[in-house]
Amino acid sequence: MVSIPEVPLPSSPANNTGNDSTASASANNSIPLVGFGTASWPFGESGEILKESILTAIELGYRHFDTAAVYQSEQCLGEAVSQALDLGLVKSRGELFITSKLWCSDVHPSRVLPALRNTLQ
């Protein structure tokens, strides 16, 4: 596995869980400098290829993944993370950083929480 450089995160209450036994990527106060993007064109095509690509990226040492609802890759990413856990490629979800974006069509106040819930699912 290749070691990808990390950049420090500022301290925040969210990073301090008060539970030292819970090891997670965010508890290290750093985030991998390089992330693996999950967008492909046309959006939503080749889900199996994307899952295999994500699994290969995890095997190679990637721990930061970027997605968005508009890419239609969030479900594939979630399935690949679940498979990586089953295969023992990572010990816990806490080893990974997943970044996503709230798309411009979802910034209306009544759409923000449903869009975020869909992303987290």
Side-chain angles (χ1 to χ4, degrees), residues 14-107:
N15 290 342
N16 185 2
T17 64
N19 183 356
D20 292 336
S21 67
T22 305
S24 73
S26 61
N28 293 332
N29 293 326
S30 61
I31 187 170
L33 190 60
V34 177
F36 186 88
T38 62
S40 63
W41 186 255
F43 292 142
E45 295 283 323
S46 64
E48 287 303 315
I49 292 172
L50 178 57
K51 280 193 273 188
E52 288 301 318
S53 297
I54 293 166
L55 284 170
T56 299
I58 292 171
E59 288 174 354
L60 292 173
Y62 280 89
R63 294 298 182 263
H64 179 190
F65 294 87
D66 178 71
T67 188
V70 73
Y71 302 165
Q72 299 175 22
S73 61
E74 292 175 327
Q75 182 174 343
C76 290
L77 177 58
E79 291 171 5
V81 167
S82 179
Q83 193 172 352
L85 288 164
D86 291 344
L87 294 171
L89 298 176
V90 289
K91 294 177 187 172
S92 74
R93 163 60 180 86
E95 292 181 33
L96 305 173
F97 280 92
I98 311 294
T99 55
S100 192
K101 288 153 289 298
L102 182 66
W103 202 246
C104 57
S105 61
D106 291 324
V107 297

Side-chain angles (χ1 to χ4, degrees), residues 107-121:
V107 297
H108 189 277
S110 66
R111 293 184 178 186
V112 172
L113 285 178
L116 294 175
R117 285 186 184 111
N118 285 338
T119 290
L120 291 172
Q121 184 180 6

